[in-house]
Amino acid sequence: MPASVSPQTASTFTNDALGHDDATALAERIRSRKVSVTELTRAAIDRCQKAEPLVHGIVAERYEQMLKVAAELDKEKNLADAPFFTGLPTFIKDNTDIEGMPTRQGSDAVPAGYPAQQTSGFARQMLAQGFLCLGKSTLPEFGFNASTEPAHDAPSRNPWNLDYSTGASSGGSAALVASGAVPVAHANDGGGSIRIPAACCGLVGLKPTRGRVIDNDAARLLPINILSDGVVTRSVRDTANFIYEAERYFHNPKLPAVGKVAGATDKRLRIGLVIDSINGHKTDDLTRQTVEATARRLEALGHTIEPVPIPVNSTFPDDFALYWALLAFGMKLNGHKLTHPGFDKRRVDNLTHGLDRKFRQGFWRMPAVLWRLRRARFDYASAMKGFDAVLTPVLGHTTPKIGHLSPTLPFETLFERLTRYANFTPLANVTGAPAISLPMAVTPDNLPVSVQLMGRHGDERTLLELAYELEADNPWPLLSSTR
């Protein structure tokens, strides 16, 4: 059967070797020899070639190399003891080094054609689970924007409705997973960049607790590490299995183990509810209705829901904005060291330029800002003592059309729009808490609407158990089921 592709959607789900299965089901089929790794790899390549002209989620591919790896895996006599996700195709985001492939950070300022000399720590942790990296996925410049629309290249488009954004910064990965091209893909999150694209594309996106997985190099250079790596998936069990396998490769002794999370718990929980952002922007009606409906579902399942104030200082939005600006300042100043000696700061986009100016204007506030942002972790932990989780929107409003968050806009316009849109996710980055995005509704424009659950430090288990429960109670729509 041909892939289902319409002028407005980009679904590549069909009756090939990948079928409609999630990553866990595919892994089981590989281990039982019901499908070969080569068959899966060829199916994924075929789907990528169908999806890419529509969604533009790929910046580099290595299909032939992975077909050779697949053929070698198929010669193995026994895959029963192989890593859990052995043979499954995936993509790594193009801000993460893969030996032999360029890393351009989504920016025209980073010269093309210079392969990385080694694979980054987190990528090794992910690929040790058996994934086959078919290539690199798109992101906005340095991951700073909340929509994957690099000024120098075509935008990544939402496979649910191609007129709309995929979110960011892991927008290419989300587009490829949602369209069915691959079952799981790498994402990372410095202000919402796992959860935002997951929310836009109807996927599960877990930002782990700070330190849960191996830090990438950039995280070690920050005065406050706001970065976490993970994946976007189409099912809760895929995310849960990824975390379990990642933890088998590396367990941070400072954190309680997540362990194997295979379903919901019988425990009834106390869950806080937040609907409007601390920055004063009111959440739009469709998003509000989705969060409230989710709260009612959780109550019907026996959990206690209680409205709570956001547990941070009122200066948090401005403080995070200046920290965000610091990152742009640092990139412009040290891009030749952080990316490549040929880095050309004149070629960064309007958002990076504008954030750099913003930092230069307010740099004198940075000592107090850093003190308050470091304090936020303890304020959050204190506020969570009486709660098992907190339910919030992922975003301030539903997914915007392509162009609404374009880096070609005047900086002041774009920055104001970003503060209205990406206003719930940064708290988990600054505090280091785990948070998960779950799709719970679809708009009249055929776009997913998602909610966020935030947890206590180190307690991904509770979030995954709640996610399993919501998924079983009312399975969310997938693009494969709408065609």
Side-chain angles (χ1 to χ4, degrees):
M1 294 175 62
S4 175
V5 176
S6 79
Q8 288 300 315
T9 64
S11 169
T12 64
F13 291 95
T14 188
N15 292 338
D16 57 10
L18 289 167
H20 293 238
D21 286 339
D22 66 0
T24 300
L26 290 170
E28 292 168 352
R29 287 171 59 202
I30 287 174
R31 283 195 300 277
S32 63
R33 301 288 188 175
K34 293 179 180 177
V35 66
S36 72
V37 179
T38 298
E39 287 174 316
L40 284 189
T41 306
R42 288 193 183 281
I45 292 169
D46 185 56
R47 290 189 183 197
C48 287
Q49 291 171 336
K50 289 181 171 69
E52 178 58 11
L54 298 172
V55 302
H56 189 63
I58 301 170
V59 292
E61 53 87 357
R62 53 177 192 175
Y63 298 156
E64 293 304 316
Q65 182 179 344
M66 289 301 101
L67 282 170
K68 292 178 182 177
V69 174
E72 291 301 312
L73 284 171
D74 285 330
K75 294 177 183 177
E76 295 286 337
K77 293 183 178 180
N78 181 18
L79 291 178
D81 297 324
F84 185 81
F85 289 114
T86 289
L88 265 66
T90 193
F91 280 80
I92 300 292
K93 186 175 171 182
D94 195 30
N95 61 358
T96 300
D97 286 346
I98 296 294
E99 183 180 358
M101 301 192 76
T103 303
R104 294 200 64 196
Q105 299 278 349
S107 177
D108 197 35
V110 180
Y114 295 92
Q117 298 302 302
Q118 60 183 5
T119 297
S120 71
F122 174 78
R124 290 197 301 271
Q125 183 178 17
M126 179 172 175
L127 297 178
Q129 299 184 31
F131 291 106
L132 302 188
C133 174
L134 295 182
K136 305 292 283 291
S137 61
T138 56
L139 72 154
E141 184 168 89
F142 310 123
F144 290 157
N145 204 347
S147 185
T148 306
E149 303 179 43
H152 67 286
D153 201 357
S156 297
R157 295 181 177 273
N158 195 316
W160 287 80
N161 187 325
L162 295 170
D163 290 334
Y164 287 79
S165 168
T166 60
S169 63
S170 310
S173 288
L176 294 169
V177 175
S179 68
V182 292
V184 59
H186 169 232
N188 47 30
D189 193 318
S193 296
I194 294 173
R195 291 157 290 157
I196 292 171
C200 293
C201 295
L203 304 174
V204 178
L206 172 67
K207 185 206 83 67
T209 300
R210 179 163 49 220
R212 174 67 68 191
V213 299
I214 294 173
D215 284 337
N216 268 326
D217 293 340
R220 302 187 186 102
L221 301 174
L222 298 176
I224 299 173
N225 178 12
I226 60 173
L227 303 177
S228 291
D229 283 82
V231 291
V232 286
T233 71
R234 295 193 294 266
S235 69
V236 175
R237 68 177 184 171
D238 282 357
T239 294
N241 285 330
F242 173 83
I243 289 293
Y244 175 67
E245 295 299 323
E247 195 171 50
R248 294 179 67 191
Y249 180 92
F250 162 76
H251 173 230
N252 186 339
K254 296 180 180 179
L255 293 174
V258 178
K260 183 77 168 178
V261 186
T265 178
D266 292 332
K267 293 188 297 184
R268 297 302 86 186
L269 307 176
R270 188 176 180 218
I271 301 170
L273 175 65
V274 173
I275 294 183
D276 288 318
S277 169
I278 193 173
N279 66 10
H281 296 307
K282 187 177 176 64
T283 302
D284 80 339
D285 289 342
L286 277 173
T287 303
R288 176 181 294 270
Q289 291 164 13
T290 301
V291 176
E292 290 173 340
T294 304
R296 290 193 294 271
R297 282 183 185 167
L298 288 167
E299 282 187 317
L301 291 166
H303 302 289
T304 299
I305 306 296
E306 181 179 326
V308 294
I310 297 178
V312 288
N313 192 294
S314 61
T315 63
F316 181 85
D318 290 337
D319 290 345
F320 183 79
L322 191 62
Y323 191 79
W324 179 20
L326 167 66
L327 304 185
F329 167 79
M331 184 58 73
K332 280 191 68 177
L333 183 67
N334 295 309
H336 62 291
K337 296 178 182 178
L338 298 172
T339 63
H340 185 272
F343 177 84
D344 185 352
K345 65 182 180 181
R346 297 168 298 179
R347 301 179 71 88
V348 301
D349 67 23
N350 283 359
L351 179 56
T352 302
H353 276 307
L355 288 170
D356 172 57
R357 288 194 306 271
K358 185 176 181 66
F359 176 77
R360 292 173 186 272
Q361 292 163 1
F363 73 92
W364 56 271
R365 296 193 293 113
M366 207 65 216
V369 164
L370 290 175
W371 184 87
R372 288 191 295 267
L373 290 178
R374 290 188 178 110
R375 177 74 191 175
R377 173 179 180 177
F378 303 101
D379 293 340
Y380 178 84
S382 178
M384 288 295 292
K385 286 180 180 177
F387 294 90
D388 299 291
V390 174
L391 172 67
T392 81
V394 179
L395 293 156
H397 60 77
T398 55
T399 304
K401 283 191 171 183
I402 296 290
H404 181 75
L405 297 175
S406 170
T408 62
L409 291 169
F411 173 73
E412 293 74 15
T413 300
L414 176 55
F415 186 80
E416 193 273 339
R417 290 180 178 181
L418 285 169
T419 59
R420 289 180 175 272
Y421 183 54
N423 49 9
F424 287 94
T425 52
L427 179 59
N429 297 89
V430 171
T431 62
I436 193 169
S437 172
L438 301 171
M440 299 302 296
V442 177
T443 73
D445 293 319
N446 196 42
L447 292 162
V449 185
S450 298
V451 304
Q452 176 177 243
L453 286 164
M454 300 177 66
R456 297 171 176 168
H457 288 88
D459 193 16
E460 287 92 333
R461 171 171 281 273
T462 292
L463 297 184
L464 290 167
E465 289 171 343
L466 277 170
Y468 268 118
E469 191 168 16
L470 286 169
E471 184 183 41
D473 177 60
N474 188 21
W476 41 74
L478 296 171
L479 194 56
S480 61
S481 63
T482 66
R483 302 304 300 157

